[in-house]
Short mmCIF file of all heavy atoms in Angstrom, two decimals:
data_model
loop_
_atom_site.label_atom_id
_atom_site.label_comp_id
_atom_site.label_asym_id
_atom_site.label_seq_id
_atom_site.Cartn_x
_atom_site.Cartn_y
_atom_site.Cartn_z
N PRO A 1 -8.23 -70.39 7.30
CA PRO A 1 -9.40 -70.00 8.12
C PRO A 1 -9.59 -70.85 9.37
O PRO A 1 -10.37 -70.47 10.25
CB PRO A 1 -10.58 -70.18 7.16
CG PRO A 1 -9.99 -69.99 5.79
CD PRO A 1 -8.63 -70.63 5.89
N THR A 2 -8.86 -71.99 9.48
CA THR A 2 -8.98 -72.79 10.70
C THR A 2 -8.43 -72.07 11.92
O THR A 2 -8.66 -72.53 13.05
CB THR A 2 -8.25 -74.14 10.54
OG1 THR A 2 -6.87 -73.90 10.19
CG2 THR A 2 -8.88 -74.99 9.45
N THR A 3 -7.75 -70.94 11.72
CA THR A 3 -7.29 -70.16 12.87
C THR A 3 -8.47 -69.57 13.65
O THR A 3 -8.29 -69.02 14.73
CB THR A 3 -6.35 -69.03 12.42
OG1 THR A 3 -7.02 -68.18 11.49
CG2 THR A 3 -5.11 -69.60 11.76
N LEU A 4 -9.67 -69.72 13.10
CA LEU A 4 -10.87 -69.33 13.85
C LEU A 4 -10.94 -70.08 15.17
O LEU A 4 -11.48 -69.57 16.16
CB LEU A 4 -12.11 -69.63 13.00
CG LEU A 4 -13.47 -69.38 13.65
CD1 LEU A 4 -13.67 -67.90 13.97
CD2 LEU A 4 -14.60 -69.88 12.76
N VAL A 5 -10.38 -71.30 15.22
CA VAL A 5 -10.38 -72.08 16.47
C VAL A 5 -9.59 -71.33 17.55
O VAL A 5 -10.03 -71.25 18.70
CB VAL A 5 -9.78 -73.48 16.21
CG1 VAL A 5 -9.64 -74.24 17.54
CG2 VAL A 5 -10.63 -74.26 15.22
N ILE A 6 -8.45 -70.77 17.18
CA ILE A 6 -7.64 -70.02 18.14
C ILE A 6 -8.42 -68.81 18.65
O ILE A 6 -8.43 -68.52 19.85
CB ILE A 6 -6.31 -69.58 17.48
CG1 ILE A 6 -5.44 -70.79 17.20
CG2 ILE A 6 -5.58 -68.58 18.36
CD1 ILE A 6 -4.13 -70.45 16.50
N VAL A 7 -9.05 -68.10 17.72
CA VAL A 7 -9.83 -66.92 18.11
C VAL A 7 -10.95 -67.32 19.06
O VAL A 7 -11.24 -66.61 20.03
CB VAL A 7 -10.39 -66.22 16.86
CG1 VAL A 7 -11.31 -65.07 17.24
CG2 VAL A 7 -9.25 -65.71 15.98
N GLY A 8 -11.58 -68.46 18.81
CA GLY A 8 -12.64 -68.94 19.69
C GLY A 8 -12.12 -69.23 21.09
O GLY A 8 -12.79 -68.93 22.09
N ILE A 9 -10.92 -69.81 21.18
CA ILE A 9 -10.33 -70.09 22.49
C ILE A 9 -10.04 -68.80 23.24
O ILE A 9 -10.31 -68.67 24.45
CB ILE A 9 -9.04 -70.93 22.32
CG1 ILE A 9 -9.39 -72.33 21.80
CG2 ILE A 9 -8.27 -71.03 23.63
CD1 ILE A 9 -8.18 -73.16 21.41
N LEU A 10 -9.50 -67.81 22.54
CA LEU A 10 -9.22 -66.52 23.17
C LEU A 10 -10.51 -65.85 23.65
O LEU A 10 -10.57 -65.30 24.76
CB LEU A 10 -8.48 -65.60 22.19
CG LEU A 10 -7.09 -66.03 21.74
CD1 LEU A 10 -6.53 -65.03 20.74
CD2 LEU A 10 -6.15 -66.18 22.93
N ALA A 11 -11.54 -65.88 22.80
CA ALA A 11 -12.82 -65.26 23.18
C ALA A 11 -13.41 -65.95 24.41
O ALA A 11 -13.93 -65.28 25.31
CB ALA A 11 -13.79 -65.33 22.00
N TYR A 12 -13.31 -67.28 24.44
CA TYR A 12 -13.80 -68.02 25.61
C TYR A 12 -13.05 -67.60 26.87
O TYR A 12 -13.64 -67.40 27.95
CB TYR A 12 -13.63 -69.52 25.37
CG TYR A 12 -13.94 -70.37 26.59
CD1 TYR A 12 -15.24 -70.75 26.89
CD2 TYR A 12 -12.92 -70.80 27.43
CE1 TYR A 12 -15.52 -71.53 28.00
CE2 TYR A 12 -13.18 -71.58 28.54
CZ TYR A 12 -14.48 -71.94 28.82
OH TYR A 12 -14.76 -72.71 29.93
N GLY A 13 -11.73 -67.44 26.73
CA GLY A 13 -10.92 -67.04 27.88
C GLY A 13 -11.26 -65.66 28.39
O GLY A 13 -11.36 -65.44 29.60
N VAL A 14 -11.45 -64.71 27.48
CA VAL A 14 -11.81 -63.35 27.89
C VAL A 14 -13.19 -63.34 28.54
O VAL A 14 -13.40 -62.70 29.57
CB VAL A 14 -11.76 -62.38 26.68
CG1 VAL A 14 -12.27 -61.00 27.08
CG2 VAL A 14 -10.35 -62.27 26.14
N TYR A 15 -14.12 -64.07 27.95
CA TYR A 15 -15.49 -64.10 28.46
C TYR A 15 -15.54 -64.67 29.88
O TYR A 15 -16.35 -64.24 30.71
CB TYR A 15 -16.37 -64.92 27.53
CG TYR A 15 -17.83 -64.99 27.95
CD1 TYR A 15 -18.68 -63.92 27.71
CD2 TYR A 15 -18.34 -66.12 28.58
CE1 TYR A 15 -20.02 -63.96 28.10
CE2 TYR A 15 -19.67 -66.18 28.97
CZ TYR A 15 -20.50 -65.11 28.73
OH TYR A 15 -21.81 -65.16 29.11
N ASN A 16 -14.67 -65.63 30.17
CA ASN A 16 -14.67 -66.28 31.48
C ASN A 16 -13.63 -65.70 32.44
O ASN A 16 -13.33 -66.31 33.48
CB ASN A 16 -14.43 -67.79 31.31
CG ASN A 16 -15.64 -68.49 30.73
OD1 ASN A 16 -16.58 -68.83 31.45
ND2 ASN A 16 -15.62 -68.72 29.43
N GLY A 17 -13.10 -64.54 32.11
CA GLY A 17 -12.20 -63.84 33.03
C GLY A 17 -10.81 -64.42 33.14
O GLY A 17 -10.10 -64.15 34.11
N LYS A 18 -10.39 -65.22 32.16
CA LYS A 18 -9.05 -65.79 32.19
C LYS A 18 -8.01 -64.86 31.57
O LYS A 18 -6.81 -65.08 31.67
CB LYS A 18 -9.04 -67.14 31.48
CG LYS A 18 -9.97 -68.15 32.14
CD LYS A 18 -9.95 -69.49 31.43
CE LYS A 18 -10.94 -70.46 32.06
NZ LYS A 18 -10.62 -70.76 33.48
N PHE A 19 -8.46 -63.83 30.89
CA PHE A 19 -7.61 -62.74 30.40
C PHE A 19 -8.27 -61.43 30.82
O PHE A 19 -9.43 -61.38 31.21
CB PHE A 19 -7.54 -62.75 28.86
CG PHE A 19 -6.92 -63.97 28.25
CD1 PHE A 19 -7.70 -64.89 27.57
CD2 PHE A 19 -5.56 -64.21 28.33
CE1 PHE A 19 -7.15 -66.00 26.97
CE2 PHE A 19 -4.99 -65.32 27.75
CZ PHE A 19 -5.79 -66.22 27.07
N TRP A 20 -7.52 -60.38 30.68
CA TRP A 20 -8.07 -59.02 30.73
C TRP A 20 -8.75 -58.67 32.04
O TRP A 20 -9.96 -58.53 32.11
CB TRP A 20 -9.06 -58.83 29.56
CG TRP A 20 -8.39 -58.26 28.36
CD1 TRP A 20 -7.44 -58.87 27.62
CD2 TRP A 20 -8.59 -56.97 27.79
NE1 TRP A 20 -7.03 -58.05 26.61
CE2 TRP A 20 -7.73 -56.88 26.68
CE3 TRP A 20 -9.41 -55.90 28.09
CZ2 TRP A 20 -7.65 -55.75 25.89
CZ3 TRP A 20 -9.36 -54.78 27.30
CH2 TRP A 20 -8.48 -54.71 26.21
N ARG A 21 -7.96 -58.47 33.06
CA ARG A 21 -8.49 -58.01 34.35
C ARG A 21 -8.02 -56.57 34.58
O ARG A 21 -7.09 -56.32 35.34
CB ARG A 21 -8.04 -58.94 35.46
CG ARG A 21 -8.51 -60.37 35.22
CD ARG A 21 -8.11 -61.30 36.32
NE ARG A 21 -8.44 -62.68 35.98
CZ ARG A 21 -8.17 -63.72 36.75
NH1 ARG A 21 -7.59 -63.55 37.91
NH2 ARG A 21 -8.50 -64.93 36.36
N PHE A 22 -8.63 -55.68 33.84
CA PHE A 22 -8.23 -54.28 33.89
C PHE A 22 -8.95 -53.49 34.98
O PHE A 22 -8.55 -52.38 35.29
CB PHE A 22 -8.51 -53.59 32.55
CG PHE A 22 -7.41 -53.78 31.55
CD1 PHE A 22 -7.62 -54.47 30.38
CD2 PHE A 22 -6.16 -53.25 31.79
CE1 PHE A 22 -6.61 -54.64 29.46
CE2 PHE A 22 -5.13 -53.41 30.87
CZ PHE A 22 -5.36 -54.10 29.70
N ALA A 23 -10.04 -54.02 35.51
CA ALA A 23 -10.85 -53.25 36.46
C ALA A 23 -10.10 -53.09 37.78
O ALA A 23 -10.17 -53.94 38.67
CB ALA A 23 -12.18 -53.95 36.68
N ASN A 24 -9.34 -52.03 37.91
CA ASN A 24 -8.60 -51.76 39.13
C ASN A 24 -8.49 -50.25 39.32
O ASN A 24 -7.55 -49.63 38.85
CB ASN A 24 -7.21 -52.39 39.08
CG ASN A 24 -6.55 -52.41 40.45
OD1 ASN A 24 -6.67 -51.46 41.21
ND2 ASN A 24 -5.88 -53.51 40.77
N PRO A 25 -9.46 -49.63 39.98
CA PRO A 25 -9.48 -48.18 40.08
C PRO A 25 -8.31 -47.60 40.86
O PRO A 25 -8.04 -46.41 40.78
CB PRO A 25 -10.80 -47.89 40.81
CG PRO A 25 -11.12 -49.16 41.53
CD PRO A 25 -10.59 -50.26 40.69
N VAL A 26 -7.57 -48.45 41.62
CA VAL A 26 -6.44 -47.94 42.40
C VAL A 26 -5.39 -47.31 41.50
O VAL A 26 -4.72 -46.36 41.88
CB VAL A 26 -5.82 -49.10 43.22
CG1 VAL A 26 -4.57 -48.63 43.94
CG2 VAL A 26 -6.84 -49.65 44.19
N PHE A 27 -5.26 -47.82 40.26
CA PHE A 27 -4.22 -47.35 39.37
C PHE A 27 -4.68 -46.21 38.47
O PHE A 27 -3.89 -45.70 37.70
CB PHE A 27 -3.72 -48.51 38.49
CG PHE A 27 -2.93 -49.54 39.26
CD1 PHE A 27 -3.56 -50.62 39.83
CD2 PHE A 27 -1.56 -49.41 39.41
CE1 PHE A 27 -2.84 -51.57 40.54
CE2 PHE A 27 -0.83 -50.35 40.12
CZ PHE A 27 -1.47 -51.44 40.69
N GLN A 28 -5.94 -45.81 38.54
CA GLN A 28 -6.45 -44.84 37.59
C GLN A 28 -5.73 -43.49 37.70
O GLN A 28 -5.53 -42.80 36.71
CB GLN A 28 -7.95 -44.64 37.78
CG GLN A 28 -8.78 -45.88 37.45
CD GLN A 28 -8.54 -46.38 36.03
OE1 GLN A 28 -8.54 -45.59 35.10
NE2 GLN A 28 -8.31 -47.67 35.89
N HIS A 29 -5.32 -43.09 38.91
CA HIS A 29 -4.68 -41.79 39.07
C HIS A 29 -3.28 -41.77 38.48
O HIS A 29 -2.69 -40.70 38.32
CB HIS A 29 -4.62 -41.42 40.56
CG HIS A 29 -3.71 -42.31 41.36
ND1 HIS A 29 -4.10 -43.58 41.77
CD2 HIS A 29 -2.43 -42.13 41.81
CE1 HIS A 29 -3.10 -44.12 42.46
NE2 HIS A 29 -2.08 -43.28 42.49
N GLU A 30 -2.72 -42.92 38.15
CA GLU A 30 -1.37 -42.98 37.61
C GLU A 30 -1.35 -42.90 36.09
O GLU A 30 -0.28 -42.98 35.48
CB GLU A 30 -0.68 -44.28 38.06
CG GLU A 30 -0.55 -44.37 39.57
CD GLU A 30 0.16 -45.63 40.01
OE1 GLU A 30 0.81 -46.26 39.15
OE2 GLU A 30 0.08 -45.99 41.19
N GLY A 31 -2.50 -42.75 35.46
CA GLY A 31 -2.52 -42.62 34.01
C GLY A 31 -3.32 -43.73 33.37
O GLY A 31 -3.59 -44.77 33.99
N PRO A 32 -3.71 -43.54 32.10
CA PRO A 32 -4.61 -44.50 31.44
C PRO A 32 -3.98 -45.86 31.18
O PRO A 32 -4.69 -46.83 30.97
CB PRO A 32 -4.95 -43.79 30.12
CG PRO A 32 -3.81 -42.84 29.90
CD PRO A 32 -3.38 -42.39 31.25
N PHE A 33 -2.64 -45.95 31.19
CA PHE A 33 -2.00 -47.23 30.86
C PHE A 33 -1.37 -47.88 32.09
O PHE A 33 -0.69 -48.89 31.97
CB PHE A 33 -0.94 -47.03 29.78
CG PHE A 33 -1.49 -46.50 28.49
CD1 PHE A 33 -1.29 -45.18 28.13
CD2 PHE A 33 -2.24 -47.30 27.65
CE1 PHE A 33 -1.82 -44.66 26.96
CE2 PHE A 33 -2.76 -46.80 26.48
CZ PHE A 33 -2.55 -45.48 26.14
N ALA A 34 -1.58 -47.31 33.26
CA ALA A 34 -0.92 -47.84 34.45
C ALA A 34 -1.38 -49.26 34.78
O ALA A 34 -0.59 -50.06 35.26
CB ALA A 34 -1.20 -46.93 35.64
N SER A 35 -2.62 -49.57 34.51
CA SER A 35 -3.15 -50.88 34.90
C SER A 35 -2.67 -52.01 33.99
O SER A 35 -2.94 -53.17 34.26
CB SER A 35 -4.67 -50.86 34.92
OG SER A 35 -5.19 -50.44 33.68
N PHE A 36 -1.94 -51.70 32.92
CA PHE A 36 -1.40 -52.76 32.06
C PHE A 36 -0.46 -53.66 32.85
O PHE A 36 -0.40 -54.86 32.62
CB PHE A 36 -0.66 -52.15 30.87
CG PHE A 36 -1.54 -51.90 29.68
CD1 PHE A 36 -2.49 -50.91 29.70
CD2 PHE A 36 -1.43 -52.68 28.55
CE1 PHE A 36 -3.32 -50.68 28.62
CE2 PHE A 36 -2.24 -52.46 27.46
CZ PHE A 36 -3.19 -51.46 27.49
N SER A 37 0.29 -53.08 33.77
CA SER A 37 1.25 -53.87 34.54
C SER A 37 0.55 -54.92 35.38
O SER A 37 1.11 -55.97 35.68
CB SER A 37 2.09 -52.96 35.44
OG SER A 37 1.24 -52.23 36.32
N LEU A 38 -0.69 -54.65 35.77
CA LEU A 38 -1.46 -55.61 36.55
C LEU A 38 -2.21 -56.59 35.65
O LEU A 38 -2.26 -57.79 35.92
CB LEU A 38 -2.46 -54.88 37.45
CG LEU A 38 -3.42 -55.79 38.25
CD1 LEU A 38 -2.64 -56.52 39.33
CD2 LEU A 38 -4.53 -54.97 38.88
N ALA A 39 -2.79 -56.09 34.55
CA ALA A 39 -3.66 -56.92 33.71
C ALA A 39 -2.91 -58.08 33.06
O ALA A 39 -3.49 -59.13 32.82
CB ALA A 39 -4.30 -56.06 32.63
#
């Protein structure tokens, strides 16, 4: 259960914008998964 520490680090990173930057409407016309290459 100490792996909760890892999950906490990931959650902190997502909350502070260090992961997951999917907001890019330029790629929306290329399909739902196009922005993965940027994120």
Side-chain angles (χ1 to χ4, degrees):
T2 56
T3 58
L4 176 64
V5 174
I6 292 178
V7 174
I9 292 172
L10 295 178
Y12 172 84
V14 174
Y15 182 78
N16 287 278
K18 299 180 182 298
F19 297 109
W20 267 65
R21 300 181 187 178
F22 275 116
N24 194 321
V26 175
F27 290 91
Q28 294 304 313
H29 67 281
E30 299 182 16
F33 299 105
S35 56
F36 271 71
S37 59
L38 176 70

